[in-house]
Coordinates of all heavy atoms in Angstrom, one line a residue:
I932 N 320.0 -6.9 184.0 CA 318.7 -6.3 184.0 C 317.9 -6.7 185.2 O 317.3 -5.9 185.9 CB 317.9 -6.7 182.7 CG1 318.5 -6.1 181.4 CG2 316.4 -6.3 182.8 CD1 318.0 -6.6 180.1
C933 N 318.0 -8.0 185.6 CA 317.3 -8.4 186.8 C 317.8 -7.7 188.0 O 317.0 -7.3 188.9 CB 317.4 -10.0 186.9 SG 316.7 -10.9 185.6
K934 N 319.1 -7.6 188.1 CA 319.7 -6.9 189.3 C 319.2 -5.4 189.4 O 318.9 -4.9 190.4 CB 321.2 -7.0 189.2 CG 321.9 -6.2 190.3 CD 321.9 -6.9 191.6 CE 322.9 -6.2 192.5 NZ 322.3 -5.8 193.7
L935 N 319.1 -4.8 188.2 CA 318.7 -3.4 188.2 C 317.2 -3.3 188.6 O 316.8 -2.4 189.3 CB 318.9 -2.8 186.8 CG 320.3 -2.6 186.3 CD1 320.4 -2.3 184.9 CD2 320.9 -1.5 187.2
V936 N 316.4 -4.3 188.1 CA 315.0 -4.3 188.5 C 314.8 -4.5 190.0 O 314.1 -3.7 190.7 CB 314.2 -5.3 187.7 CG1 312.8 -5.6 188.3 CG2 314.1 -5.0 186.3
I937 N 315.6 -5.4 190.6 CA 315.5 -5.7 192.0 C 316.0 -4.5 192.8 O 315.4 -4.1 193.8 CB 316.3 -6.9 192.4 CG1 315.6 -8.2 191.8 CG2 316.4 -7.1 193.9 CD1 316.4 -9.4 191.9
D938 N 317.0 -3.8 192.3 CA 317.5 -2.6 193.0 C 316.6 -1.3 192.8 O 316.8 -0.3 193.4 CB 318.9 -2.2 192.5 CG 319.9 -3.2 193.0 OD1 319.6 -4.0 194.0 OD2 321.0 -3.3 192.5
G939 N 315.6 -1.4 191.9 CA 314.7 -0.3 191.6 C 315.2 0.7 190.6 O 314.6 1.7 190.5
N940 N 316.2 0.3 189.9 CA 316.7 1.2 188.8 C 316.0 0.9 187.5 O 316.6 0.3 186.6 CB 318.2 1.1 188.7 CG 318.9 2.1 187.8 OD1 318.2 2.9 187.2 ND2 320.2 2.2 187.8
F941 N 314.7 1.3 187.4 CA 313.9 0.9 186.3 C 314.3 1.6 185.0 O 314.2 0.9 183.9 CB 312.4 1.1 186.6 CG 311.9 0.3 187.8 CD1 311.5 0.9 188.9 CD2 312.0 -1.1 187.8 CE1 311.0 0.2 190.0 CE2 311.5 -1.8 188.8 CZ 311.1 -1.2 190.0
P942 N 314.7 2.8 185.0 CA 315.1 3.4 183.7 C 316.2 2.7 183.0 O 316.2 2.5 181.8 CB 315.4 4.9 184.1 CG 314.6 5.2 185.3 CD 314.6 3.9 186.0
M943 N 317.3 2.4 183.8 CA 318.4 1.7 183.3 C 318.0 0.3 182.8 O 318.5 -0.2 181.7 CB 319.5 1.6 184.3 CG 320.8 0.9 183.8 SD 321.6 1.8 182.4 CE 322.5 3.0 183.4
A944 N 317.2 -0.4 183.6 CA 316.7 -1.7 183.2 C 315.9 -1.7 181.9 O 316.1 -2.5 181.0 CB 315.9 -2.4 184.3
C945 N 315.1 -0.7 181.8 CA 314.3 -0.5 180.6 C 315.2 -0.3 179.4 O 315.0 -0.8 178.3 CB 313.3 0.6 180.8 SG 312.2 0.8 179.4
G946 N 316.2 0.6 179.6 CA 317.1 0.9 178.5 C 317.9 -0.4 178.0 O 318.0 -0.6 176.8
L947 N 318.3 -1.1 179.0 CA 319.1 -2.4 178.6 C 318.1 -3.4 178.0 O 318.6 -4.1 177.0 CB 319.7 -3.0 179.9 CG 321.0 -2.3 180.3 CD1 321.5 -3.0 181.6 CD2 322.1 -2.4 179.3
F948 N 316.9 -3.4 178.4 CA 315.9 -4.4 177.8 C 315.6 -4.0 176.3 O 315.6 -4.8 175.5 CB 314.6 -4.4 178.6 CG 313.7 -5.6 178.3 CD1 314.0 -6.8 178.9 CD2 312.7 -5.5 177.4 CE1 313.2 -7.9 178.7 CE2 311.9 -6.6 177.2 CZ 312.1 -7.8 177.8
V949 N 315.5 -2.7 176.1 CA 315.3 -2.2 174.7 C 316.5 -2.5 173.9 O 316.4 -2.9 172.7 CB 314.9 -0.7 174.7 CG1 315.0 -0.1 173.3 CG2 313.6 -0.5 175.3
Y950 N 317.7 -2.3 174.4 CA 319.0 -2.6 173.7 C 319.0 -4.0 173.4 O 319.4 -4.4 172.3 CB 320.2 -2.1 174.6 CG 321.5 -2.4 173.9 CD1 321.9 -1.6 172.9 CD2 322.3 -3.5 174.4 CE1 323.2 -1.9 172.3 CE2 323.5 -3.7 173.8 CZ 323.9 -3.0 172.8 OH 325.1 -3.2 172.2
A951 N 318.7 -4.9 174.3 CA 318.7 -6.4 174.1 C 317.7 -6.7 173.0 O 318.0 -7.5 172.1 CB 318.4 -7.1 175.3
G952 N 316.6 -6.1 172.9 CA 315.6 -6.3 171.9 C 316.1 -5.9 170.5 O 315.9 -6.5 169.5
A953 N 316.7 -4.7 170.5 CA 317.2 -4.2 169.2 C 318.4 -5.0 168.7 O 318.4 -5.3 167.5 CB 317.7 -2.7 169.4
T954 N 319.3 -5.5 169.5 CA 320.4 -6.3 169.0 C 319.8 -7.7 168.6 O 320.3 -8.3 167.7 CB 321.5 -6.5 170.1 OG1 320.9 -7.0 171.3 CG2 322.1 -5.2 170.4
D955 N 318.8 -8.2 169.3 CA 318.2 -9.5 168.9 C 317.5 -9.3 167.5 O 317.6 -10.2 166.7 CB 317.2 -9.9 169.9 CG 316.6 -11.3 169.7 OD1 317.5 -12.2 169.4 OD2 315.4 -11.5 169.7
M956 N 316.8 -8.2 167.3 CA 316.2 -7.9 166.0 C 317.3 -7.8 164.9 O 317.1 -8.4 163.8 CB 315.4 -6.7 166.1 CG 314.6 -6.4 164.8 SD 313.4 -5.0 165.0 CE 314.6 -3.7 165.1
A957 N 318.4 -7.2 165.2 CA 319.4 -7.1 164.2 C 320.0 -8.4 163.9 O 320.3 -8.8 162.7 CB 320.5 -6.1 164.7
D958 N 320.2 -9.3 164.9 CA 320.7 -10.6 164.7 C 319.8 -11.4 163.9 O 320.2 -12.2 163.0 CB 320.9 -11.3 166.1 CG 321.3 -12.7 166.0 OD1 322.4 -13.0 165.4 OD2 320.6 -13.6 166.6
G959 N 318.5 -11.3 164.1 CA 317.5 -12.1 163.3 C 317.5 -11.6 161.9 O 317.4 -12.4 161.0
Y960 N 317.6 -10.3 161.7 CA 317.7 -9.8 160.3 C 318.9 -10.3 159.6 O 318.8 -10.7 158.4 CB 317.7 -8.2 160.4 CG 317.8 -7.6 159.0 CD1 316.7 -7.5 158.2 CD2 319.1 -7.2 158.5 CE1 316.8 -6.9 156.9 CE2 319.2 -6.6 157.3 CZ 318.1 -6.5 156.5 OH 318.2 -5.9 155.2
I961 N 320.0 -10.3 160.2 CA 321.3 -10.8 159.6 C 321.2 -12.3 159.3 O 321.5 -12.7 158.2 CB 322.5 -10.5 160.5 CG1 322.8 -9.0 160.5 CG2 323.7 -11.2 160.0 CD1 323.8 -8.5 161.6
A962 N 320.6 -13.0 160.2 CA 320.5 -14.5 160.0 C 319.6 -14.8 158.8 O 319.8 -15.8 158.1 CB 320.0 -15.2 161.3
R963 N 318.5 -14.0 158.7 CA 317.6 -14.3 157.6 C 318.0 -13.8 156.2 O 317.7 -14.4 155.2 CB 316.2 -13.6 157.9 CG 315.4 -14.4 158.9 CD 314.0 -13.8 159.0 NE 314.0 -12.3 159.3 CZ 314.1 -11.8 160.5 NH1 314.2 -12.5 161.5 NH2 314.1 -10.4 160.6
N964 N 318.8 -12.7 156.2 CA 319.0 -12.0 154.9 C 320.5 -12.2 154.4 O 320.7 -11.8 153.2 CB 318.7 -10.5 155.0 CG 317.2 -10.3 155.2 OD1 316.4 -10.9 154.5 ND2 316.9 -9.6 156.2
F965 N 321.4 -12.7 155.1 CA 322.7 -12.8 154.6 C 323.1 -14.3 154.6 O 322.8 -15.1 155.5 CB 323.7 -12.1 155.5 CG 323.6 -10.6 155.4 CD1 322.8 -9.9 156.3 CD2 324.3 -9.9 154.5 CE1 322.7 -8.5 156.2 CE2 324.2 -8.6 154.4 CZ 323.4 -7.9 155.2
K966 N 323.6 -14.7 153.4 CA 323.9 -16.1 153.2 C 324.9 -16.6 154.2 O 325.9 -16.0 154.6 CB 324.5 -16.2 151.8 CG 324.7 -17.6 151.3 CD 325.2 -17.6 149.8 CE 325.3 -19.1 149.4 NZ 325.7 -19.2 148.0
N967 N 324.7 -17.9 154.6 CA 325.6 -18.6 155.6 C 325.7 -18.0 156.9 O 326.7 -18.2 157.6 CB 327.0 -18.8 154.9 CG 327.0 -19.6 153.7 OD1 326.2 -20.6 153.6 ND2 327.8 -19.3 152.7
Q968 N 324.7 -17.2 157.4 CA 324.8 -16.6 158.7 C 323.8 -17.3 159.7 O 323.8 -16.9 160.8 CB 324.5 -15.1 158.6 CG 325.5 -14.3 157.9 CD 326.9 -14.4 158.6 OE1 327.0 -14.2 159.8 NE2 327.9 -14.7 157.8
A969 N 323.1 -18.2 159.2 CA 322.2 -19.0 160.1 C 322.7 -20.3 160.4 O 323.4 -20.9 159.6 CB 320.8 -19.1 159.5
S970 N 322.5 -20.8 161.6 CA 322.9 -22.1 162.0 C 321.8 -22.8 162.8 O 321.0 -22.2 163.4 CB 324.2 -22.1 162.8 OG 324.0 -21.5 164.1
S971 N 321.9 -24.1 162.8 CA 320.9 -24.9 163.6 C 321.1 -24.6 165.1 O 320.1 -24.5 165.8 CB 321.0 -26.4 163.3 OG 322.3 -26.9 163.6
L972 N 322.3 -24.5 165.6 CA 322.5 -24.1 167.0 C 322.0 -22.7 167.3 O 321.3 -22.6 168.3 CB 324.0 -24.2 167.3 CG 324.4 -23.9 168.8 CD1 323.8 -24.9 169.7 CD2 325.9 -23.8 168.9
G973 N 322.2 -21.8 166.4 CA 321.7 -20.4 166.6 C 320.2 -20.4 166.6 O 319.6 -19.7 167.4
S974 N 319.5 -21.2 165.8 CA 318.1 -21.2 165.7 C 317.5 -21.9 166.9 O 316.3 -21.7 167.2 CB 317.6 -21.8 164.4 OG 318.2 -23.0 164.1
F975 N 318.3 -22.6 167.7 CA 317.8 -23.2 168.9 C 318.1 -22.3 170.1 O 317.3 -22.0 171.0 CB 318.5 -24.6 169.2 CG 318.3 -25.1 170.6 CD1 317.1 -25.7 170.9 CD2 319.3 -25.1 171.5 CE1 316.8 -26.2 172.2 CE2 319.0 -25.5 172.8 CZ 317.8 -26.1 173.1
L976 N 319.3 -21.7 170.1 CA 319.7 -20.9 171.3 C 319.0 -19.5 171.3 O 318.8 -19.0 172.4 CB 321.2 -20.7 171.2 CG 322.1 -21.9 171.6 CD1 323.6 -21.5 171.5 CD2 321.7 -22.4 172.9
D977 N 318.7 -18.9 170.1 CA 318.1 -17.6 170.1 C 316.8 -17.5 170.8 O 316.5 -16.7 171.7 CB 318.0 -17.0 168.7 CG 317.6 -15.6 168.6 OD1 318.2 -14.8 169.3 OD2 316.6 -15.4 167.9
P978 N 315.8 -18.4 170.5 CA 314.5 -18.4 171.2 C 314.7 -18.8 172.6 O 314.0 -18.3 173.5 CB 313.7 -19.4 170.4 CG 314.3 -19.7 169.2 CD 315.8 -19.4 169.3
L979 N 315.6 -19.7 172.9 CA 315.9 -20.0 174.3 C 316.3 -18.9 175.2 O 315.8 -18.6 176.3 CB 316.9 -21.2 174.4 CG 317.2 -21.7 175.8 CD1 316.0 -22.3 176.5 CD2 318.4 -22.7 175.7
S980 N 317.3 -18.1 174.6 CA 317.8 -16.9 175.3 C 316.7 -15.9 175.5 O 316.6 -15.2 176.5 CB 319.0 -16.4 174.7 OG 318.7 -15.8 173.4
D981 N 315.8 -15.7 174.5 CA 314.7 -14.8 174.6 C 313.8 -15.2 175.8 O 313.4 -14.3 176.6 CB 313.9 -14.7 173.3 CG 314.7 -14.1 172.2 OD1 315.7 -13.4 172.5 OD2 314.3 -14.3 171.0
K982 N 313.5 -16.4 175.9 CA 312.6 -16.9 176.9 C 313.2 -16.8 178.3 O 312.6 -16.4 179.3 CB 312.2 -18.4 176.7 CG 311.2 -18.6 175.5 CD 311.0 -20.0 175.2 CE 310.0 -20.2 174.1 NZ 310.4 -19.6 172.8
I983 N 314.5 -17.0 178.4 CA 315.2 -16.9 179.7 C 315.2 -15.4 180.1 O 315.0 -15.1 181.3 CB 316.7 -17.4 179.6 CG1 316.6 -18.9 179.5 CG2 317.5 -17.0 180.8 CD1 318.0 -19.6 179.1
L984 N 315.5 -14.5 179.2 CA 315.5 -13.1 179.5 C 314.1 -12.6 180.0 O 314.0 -12.0 181.0 CB 315.9 -12.2 178.2 CG 315.8 -10.7 178.4 CD1 316.8 -10.3 179.5 CD2 316.1 -10.0 177.1
V985 N 313.1 -12.9 179.2 CA 311.7 -12.5 179.6 C 311.3 -13.2 180.9 O 310.7 -12.6 181.8 CB 310.7 -12.8 178.5 CG1 309.3 -12.6 178.9 CG2 311.1 -11.9 177.3
G986 N 311.6 -14.5 181.1 CA 311.3 -15.2 182.3 C 311.9 -14.6 183.6 O 311.3 -14.4 184.6
K987 N 313.3 -14.4 183.5 CA 314.0 -13.9 184.6 C 313.5 -12.4 184.9 O 313.5 -12.1 186.1 CB 315.5 -13.9 184.4 CG 316.0 -15.3 184.4 CD 317.5 -15.3 184.3 CE 318.1 -14.9 185.6 NZ 319.5 -15.1 185.7
T988 N 313.3 -11.6 183.9 CA 312.8 -10.3 184.2 C 311.4 -10.3 184.8 O 311.2 -9.5 185.8 CB 312.7 -9.5 182.8 OG1 314.0 -9.6 182.2 CG2 312.4 -8.1 183.1
T989 N 310.5 -11.2 184.4 CA 309.2 -11.3 185.0 C 309.3 -11.7 186.5 O 308.7 -11.2 187.4 CB 308.4 -12.4 184.3 OG1 308.3 -12.0 182.9 CG2 307.0 -12.5 184.9
I990 N 310.2 -12.7 186.8 CA 310.5 -13.1 188.2 C 311.0 -12.0 189.0 O 310.7 -11.8 190.1 CB 311.4 -14.4 188.2 CG1 310.6 -15.6 187.6 CG2 311.9 -14.6 189.6 CD1 311.5 -16.8 187.3
S991 N 311.9 -11.2 188.4 CA 312.5 -10.0 189.1 C 311.4 -9.0 189.4 O 311.4 -8.5 190.6 CB 313.5 -9.3 188.2 OG 314.6 -10.1 187.9
F992 N 310.5 -8.7 188.5 CA 309.4 -7.8 188.8 C 308.5 -8.4 189.9 O 308.0 -7.6 190.8 CB 308.5 -7.5 187.6 CG 309.1 -6.5 186.7 CD1 309.5 -6.7 185.4 CD2 309.3 -5.2 187.2 CE1 310.0 -5.7 184.6 CE2 309.9 -4.2 186.4 CZ 310.2 -4.5 185.1
S993 N 308.2 -9.7 189.9 CA 307.4 -10.2 191.0 C 308.1 -10.2 192.3 O 307.4 -10.2 193.4 CB 306.9 -11.7 190.6 OG 308.0 -12.5 190.6
S994 N 309.4 -10.3 192.4 CA 310.1 -10.3 193.6 C 310.2 -8.9 194.2 O 310.5 -8.7 195.4 CB 311.5 -10.9 193.5 OG 312.3 -10.1 192.7
T995 N 309.9 -7.8 193.4 CA 310.0 -6.5 194.0 C 308.7 -6.0 194.6 O 308.7 -5.0 195.2 CB 310.4 -5.5 192.8 OG1 309.3 -5.5 191.8 CG2 311.7 -5.8 192.2
L996 N 307.7 -6.8 194.5 CA 306.4 -6.5 195.1 C 306.4 -6.6 196.6 O 306.9 -7.1 197.4 CB 305.3 -7.3 194.5 CG 305.0 -7.1 193.1 CD1 304.0 -8.0 192.6 CD2 304.6 -5.7 192.8

């Protein structure tokens, strides 16, 4: 996503960002609603990966200015 933003391919970057959000939402739904699908490692890594994705994307947008 960051490479696409830097290269100026915003429609593809937006599509991948929406896809990442949808899969993250599905992952959260499965972890909450299905027995034995949540783990302590997953509950640490999921928010961390969300923050990394948003942070790197924000930095990518700031570097295109």
Side-chain angles (χ1 to χ4, degrees):
I932 293 173
C933 298
K934 174 79 168 123
L935 291 170
V936 168
I937 291 170
D938 290 343
N940 192 350
F941 299 118
M943 181 66 83
C945 183
L947 283 176
F948 197 83
V949 168
Y950 178 75
T954 57
D955 187 49
M956 187 172 68
D958 174 56
Y960 176 81
I961 290 169
R963 283 189 307 273
N964 294 310
F965 290 92
K966 190 176 181 177
N967 297 324
Q968 293 298 313
S970 68
S971 58
L972 179 63
S974 47
F975 171 75
L976 291 179
D977 186 55
L979 179 64
S980 65
D981 293 341
K982 287 174 180 57
I983 290 171
L984 175 65
V985 171
K987 288 185 77 166
T988 305
T989 303
I990 291 169
S991 298
F992 277 120
S993 68
S994 69
T995 59
L996 297 176

